Amino acid sequence: MQTRQGLASYSGYSQDGNRVILEFRAGRLAITALEEGFWRVRYSRQAEFAPRRSWAVTKADSEFAGLSLTVSEEAEIIELSAGQMRLRVNRVEAGVEWRTAVGQVLLQDIQGPQWLADGSFVSYKKMPADEFYYGFGERTGLLNKRGKRYTCWNTDPVDRNMDHGPGANELYQSHPFFMALRPTVGGYGLFLNNTFKTTFDVGHKDPARLSIEGAGGELDYFLIYGPDPATIVQKYTDLTGRMPLPPRWALGYHQCRWSYYPEAKVREIAHELRARKIPADVIHLDIDYMDGFRVFTWDKDRFPDPAKLIGDLGEQGFKVVNIIDPGVKYDPNNGYRVYDEGAEKDYFVRQAGGELFHGYVWPDDSVFADFARAEVREWWGDLHKELLAAGVRGIWNDMNEPAISSTPFEEWGPHIDITLDAPQGSPAELTSHAEIHNLYGLLEDQATYEGWRRLQPDTRPFLLTRAGYAGVQRYSAVWTGDNDAYWEHLEMSMPQLANLGLSGISFAGADIGGFGGTSTPELWARWIQLGAFYPFSRGHAATWTPPKEPWAFGERTESIARRYIELRYRLLPYLYTLFEESSRTGAPILRPLLYQFYQDANTLQLHDQLMLGSALMVAPIYLPGQEYRHVYLPKGQWYNFWNNALQEGSDLLAHAPLEDLPLYVHGGTILPLGPVMQYSDERPLDQLSLEIYLDEHGVARGRLYEDDGISFRYQGGDSCTTLYTAATDAAGKVRVTANRQGQYVPAPRTIEIRVHGLVGTKHTSLAEDKGDWEVSF
Ligand code: GLC
């Protein structure tokens, strides 16, 4: 057995502003107080810290405000204090303890970190019995991750556990980030800034011990004090970046199947959606649009004139999103430009011995672009030129873990069993596969995003990715991969998306109706009820499954689909405002209740109710044959969205026959709603409804963000935000005011104002929205 070694004894420190380096016999520990409640802890057993700038972190330590840090050397520990926090470092083994100024211990090492000769490390932390854990990206299972053991190693779990069961470990993305919450103390976040295979054992082996293990690289982590979840996510996304504001149409409903082809089929889907009046903005083209799965080509028989097709669909209000896979068909001497150019310029990954890396994916024998090299990313980005020129409005990056098989694909699909085991990056910054594996998808997304920005600088990109690493939100929306038509997967999508949101990934969704398997009408109906609230809302289905379009299950399911997708479109003004907020602060769009109500211990493990922003709570039915469910209502007033009735008590038995979705509004909010449209920009927001839900003090607030929905002009100030307030006076009169800031001028519109409160609903309307106004009634 190899012996583990720690840093051994302390010998002294040096300080440079807000950074202190503690020297130990076998290594060093750098501690930086970045800003209030935000520290970096970085160990190295080498004389120097790794020079490489992180791929996940967007901000250098020097770009933070910095806090003045004082050091005091005591008998057993060295105490560093900055602002409201203290970090105490143990002299013998460099274990740390992080506490607040009032002495609350947030995080405490059981012992100092230990290394093996191969460079792998482990750090053990105490797990207070009353602490709950969240984050880690898109994991399966319920909300609280206590008791789990998760490895960060991007994987397409085909074959091994196609069912994404609760015991599944790795999925497509790696987010070495978690948030810990204690009802009495509040919470903190920890981001392990390490792209190697890392493992978080959250009390799985030992219920009182959290272990952080890494296969290589530095033990380098950021500690983020809340105490509330919103502050933690806000700081974490300040570090790793935030979702750029997407085009507004991307918030509409997306229709997908593997695959719609030939073009007549695509036209038929578009026709059905419009004829049946099921609102939709987007149709996705899966792999069969390509010529023999060659990326950046079209099958000319199936799609003889893509620009014409896309133009015609555009006239009906549809946008087209095309899938791109990273595997480039190995196709020498055949006139396939992507292969020829990549080969000529030596852009494909080579094995350590120098031979080209080959693996099997859809086009069978394939090679893989080396996205760790800037010039390769640039080339890849530019390859999108023709797709964008043809009118394609979004790129769906799939299979980018990357998923690779050692043998040709059989009829039944891939059997992913190898990884891109080869060094990557430019000679000056060559990385091992161990270090770069988790970044393959993120770097492909970066290449695509940056290429798009060069090719179409005036339109906001829409990207969708399967693989990713912390920070991928800067480039792409995320979907949770190949789920199945299981009730369990409908249920699981709630904690999965909630934890993604807490991990900085706001724009996310699961395949509505389940990708694999056969959905029943009941399952599909229940799924669209919830899926209409996913930030990314897309129906999708695997090629081997029966049809899963909203009309495939009979009239009853179709009208349920229409009702909930229509509701999503009515909510677009609210939803877009949430997207704008998220792009500025990182706040999740779909949130677990604990995000807002973390001081209420009842919310800490509540996985089957979600908040859409701070106003709406959805409590779906996710079991077959059920018409009733328990709903927990935290403190405050809650209204039934459907009949505006004030709810009594904190525990409800909601009655929801198949047509119904339990949906509640938190008192104190003003919801801006639009009219039903068949697609997001069918017409401007010409009728605004303000639904006002008073709190117990007769007060409510709301916000509406608007811009052109498509360009970057908002960055130059061409946007506006209207703040709405409502207050009740002693005589019971409600005064509603609107105050608009910003230079964007929305289209003329009328406003309906409805106030819901203790005494029922009052109503008034304005024939013209002047931006700033006031009404009393
Ligand atoms: C992968 C994707 C799935 C897609 C299929 C074919 O399984 O996860 O969404 O439809 O590949 O491209």
Side-chain angles (χ1 to χ4, degrees):
M1 213 179 97
Q2 297 186 51
T3 47
R4 289 187 162 151
Q5 287 192 331
L7 288 196
S9 52
Y10 171 73
S11 59
Y13 77 92
S14 59
Q15 182 165 7
D16 179 9
N18 62 338
R19 172 169 142 133
V20 166
I21 297 183
L22 306 179
E23 304 290 347
F24 289 79
R25 192 154 49 77
R28 38 200 347 220
L29 167 58
I31 294 158
T32 314
L34 300 167
E35 58 183 56
E36 185 56 63
F38 201 165
W39 293 45
R40 182 174 187 181
V41 177
R42 194 174 179 192
Y43 291 89
S44 176
R45 290 198 313 154
Q46 319 294 329
E48 296 298 330
F49 289 95
R52 204 190 316 285
R53 178 82 188 265
S54 163
W55 290 272
V57 169
T58 55
K59 231 169 138 170
D61 292 359
S62 58
E63 292 170 65
F64 285 86
L67 269 189
S68 95
L69 187 64
T70 54
V71 183
S72 97
E73 291 177 297
E74 293 167 20
E76 286 175 11
I77 56 134
I78 302 106
E79 185 173 271
L80 288 81
S81 33
Q84 298 299 306
M85 312 300 289
R86 310 271 174 275
L87 192 93
R88 294 153 67 88
V89 184
N90 176 317
R91 276 177 180 260
V92 274
E93 42 187 28
V96 297
E97 182 188 295
W98 203 42
R99 26 166 99 182
T100 61
V102 290
Q104 287 171 326
V105 177
L106 291 172
L107 180 70
Q108 195 179 9
D109 280 358
I110 292 172
Q111 62 184 111
Q114 307 282 312
W115 284 261
L116 287 179
D118 64 3
S120 63
F121 59 79
V122 62
S123 168
Y124 295 119
K125 321 243 174 238
K126 285 190 182 163
M127 283 176 65
D130 60 345
E131 196 159 72
F132 298 84
Y133 300 85
Y134 314 97
F136 299 115
E138 62 185 353
R139 306 297 177 158
T140 65
L142 299 180
L143 191 59
N144 172 20
K145 298 309 186 188
R146 194 175 180 115
K148 299 283 188 176
R149 182 179 165 84
Y150 289 131
T151 304
C152 291
W153 188 251
N154 291 1
T155 301
D156 177 3
V158 167
D159 285 353
R160 270 183 292 144
N161 51 27
M162 182 65 178
D163 62 357
H164 291 205
N169 177 9
E170 296 132 358
L171 287 182
Y172 315 92
Q173 304 222 345
S174 292
H175 294 271
F177 168 76
F178 68 87
M179 181 187 290
L181 276 184
R182 263 187 286 169
T184 46
V185 178
Y188 70 89
L190 186 151
F191 172 59
L192 178 62
N193 183 30
N194 180 311
T195 61
F196 286 77
K197 182 182 275 189
T198 55
T199 305
F200 292 79
D201 187 304
V202 194
H204 178 76
K205 268 198 192 140
D206 172 346
R209 190 182 74 186
L210 170 81
S211 75
I212 300 179
E213 301 159 35
E218 281 178 357
L219 172 57
D220 172 12
Y221 56 85
F222 291 81
L223 290 174
I224 306 170
Y225 178 55
D228 57 305
T231 302
I232 298 169
V233 181
Q234 188 248 315
K235 287 180 177 167
Y236 174 60
T237 53
D238 188 28
L239 189 69
T240 57
R242 299 185 175 122
M243 166 197 71
L245 190 59
R248 193 170 181 274
W249 59 259
L251 281 53
Y253 175 69
H254 298 234
Q255 184 61 52
C256 187
R257 179 177 178 82
W258 171 14
S259 304
Y260 293 132
Y261 73 92
E263 74 155 66
K265 182 70 192 178
V266 183
R267 289 178 188 276
E268 177 194 317
I269 295 296
H271 171 78
E272 292 293 333
L273 286 162
R274 291 292 179 257
R276 295 170 186 274
K277 293 210 170 306
I278 296 168
D281 267 79
V282 194
I283 297 182
H284 288 234
L285 298 183
D286 206 328
I287 49 176
D288 297 285
Y289 78 86
M290 294 182 253
D291 171 18
F293 306 123
R294 288 173 187 81
V295 284
F296 304 107
T297 67
W298 291 88
D299 181 314
K300 288 290 175 194
D301 293 327
R302 294 171 178 169
F303 294 90
D305 189 349
K308 171 86 172 69
L309 169 69
I310 295 170
D312 292 348
L313 293 173
E315 278 172 22
Q316 299 170 63
F318 288 105
K319 292 89 189 164
V320 172
V321 170
N322 282 37
I323 198 169
I324 291 287
D325 289 315
V328 172
K329 187 176 176 68
Y330 177 71
D331 198 17
N333 309 320
N334 199 23
Y336 176 34
R337 192 190 124 204
V338 180
Y339 175 78
D340 290 344
E341 252 178 49
E344 191 208 314
K345 295 183 168 150
D346 200 18
Y347 284 168
F348 299 124
V349 173
R350 292 183 175 275
Q351 296 184 17
E355 327 80 80
L356 211 50
F357 181 98
H358 286 259
Y360 292 92
V361 213
W362 306 119
D364 273 335
D365 194 356
S366 302
V367 291
F368 299 83
D370 182 354
F371 294 119
R373 289 159 58 189
E375 72 276 21
V376 181
R377 287 200 297 275
E378 194 173 334
W379 169 68
W380 189 266
D382 288 345
L383 287 173
H384 293 79
K385 188 170 178 188
E386 283 164 28
L387 286 174
L388 296 192
V392 168
R393 302 285 288 274
I395 299 294
W396 166 19
N397 282 330
D398 187 25
M399 303 288 272
N400 48 356
E401 298 72 32
I404 313 176
S405 160
S406 58
T407 53
F409 277 19
E410 305 288 337
E411 284 259 301
W412 48 270
H415 32 129
I416 303 307
D417 55 358
I418 57 171
T419 52
L420 188 54
D421 191 356
Q424 287 151 63
S426 63
E429 248 206 350
L430 197 65
T431 63
S432 63
H433 172 241
E435 183 178 16
I436 204 76
H437 172 83
N438 284 331
L439 290 163
Y440 197 79
L442 176 142
L443 293 171
E444 185 200 19
D445 297 327
Q446 180 183 354
T448 311
Y449 187 85
E450 291 174 353
W452 186 313
R453 295 291 284 129
R454 286 191 303 276
L455 293 165
Q456 274 189 9
D458 299 330
T459 31
R460 301 177 206 167
F462 172 69
L463 267 60
L464 177 65
T465 191
R466 195 170 74 174
Y469 181 78
V472 73
Q473 66 272 13
R474 303 194 298 265
Y475 309 114
S476 185
V478 167
W479 100 104
T480 58
D482 298 347
N483 60 358
D484 219 295
Y486 298 139
W487 287 94
E488 291 84 346
H489 283 184
L490 166 59
E491 176 179 4
M492 178 183 70
S493 71
M494 292 184 270
Q496 210 173 20
L497 297 175
N499 277 313
L500 268 170
L502 295 179
S503 309
I505 310 287
S506 307
F507 198 2
D511 284 343
I512 294 170
F515 169 73
T518 305
S519 188
T520 60
E522 185 191 6
L523 174 61
W524 208 89
R526 290 303 192 188
W527 211 317
I528 192 66
Q529 289 174 348
L530 174 62
F533 291 82
Y534 291 164
F536 171 62
S537 183
R538 180 182 77 162
H540 186 30
T543 179
W544 58 83
T545 64
K548 287 187 194 166
E549 289 74 30
W551 54 88
F553 303 93
E555 267 176 37
R556 186 173 179 198
T557 311
E558 183 181 331
S559 58
I560 292 171
R562 186 177 304 107
R563 179 174 189 214
Y564 288 91
I565 299 175
E566 281 180 352
L567 174 60
R568 182 180 180 89
Y569 278 76
R570 289 213 64 203
L571 285 167
L572 275 183
Y574 174 65
L575 196 59
Y576 190 56
T577 303
L578 292 176
F579 269 77
E580 190 274 336
E581 178 195 16
S582 184
S583 73
R584 267 185 302 109
T585 68
I589 292 160
L590 197 61
R591 311 165 176 175
L593 267 66
L594 67 91
Y595 181 82
Q596 201 164 333
F597 306 102
Y598 71 100
Q599 282 158 326
D600 177 349
N602 292 327
T603 68
L604 296 177
Q605 303 206 73
L606 195 61
H607 78 284
D608 62 355
Q609 298 174 210
L610 292 170
M611 299 294 300
L612 185 72
S614 58
L616 273 178
M617 180 173 75
V618 35
I621 301 255
Y622 53 85
L623 288 169
Q626 303 282 315
E627 284 200 358
Y628 290 90
R629 63 157 288 172
H630 165 250
V631 175
Y632 178 67
L633 301 176
K635 187 164 119 245
Q637 309 250 66
W638 291 90
Y639 294 81
N640 181 320
F641 175 82
W642 303 107
N643 61 15
N644 304 314
L646 257 174
Q647 306 298 301
E648 308 238 332
S650 56
D651 293 276
L652 295 183
L653 184 63
H655 183 214
L658 193 58
E659 274 69 20
D660 294 347
L661 166 80
L663 183 59
Y664 304 89
V665 193
H666 195 218
T669 54
I670 301 181
L671 262 186
L673 300 183
V676 171
M677 296 195 199
Q678 293 307 299
Y679 51 97
S680 59
D681 46 8
E682 187 179 18
R683 52 178 217 268
L685 180 59
D686 48 12
Q687 276 167 257
L688 176 67
S689 308
L690 294 177
E691 301 291 334
I692 302 178
Y693 302 87
L694 298 174
D695 68 8
E696 52 273 44
H697 310 293
V699 169
R701 274 183 201 84
R703 202 174 154 259
L704 173 64
Y705 171 82
E706 295 169 280
D707 62 19
D708 69 14
I710 190 81
S711 80
F712 284 93
R713 284 195 283 275
Y714 72 94
Q715 291 179 341
D718 196 11
S719 68
C720 67
T721 299
T722 314
L723 296 177
Y724 301 103
T725 59
T728 317
D729 68 15
K733 265 195 148 194
V734 182
R735 188 167 72 110
V736 184
T737 62
N739 179 263
R740 183 171 299 156
Q741 307 265 308
Q743 66 198 42
Y744 180 76
V745 183
R749 63 185 171 218
T750 58
I751 308 188
E752 295 287 314
I753 304 165
R754 264 179 295 272
V755 180
H756 311 290
L758 214 48
V759 293
T761 294
K762 295 182 176 185
H763 172 261
T764 189
S765 56
L766 294 177
E768 192 189 351
D769 180 4
K770 293 199 174 108
D772 288 352
W773 48 258
E774 184 178 322
V775 289
S776 286
F777 60 106

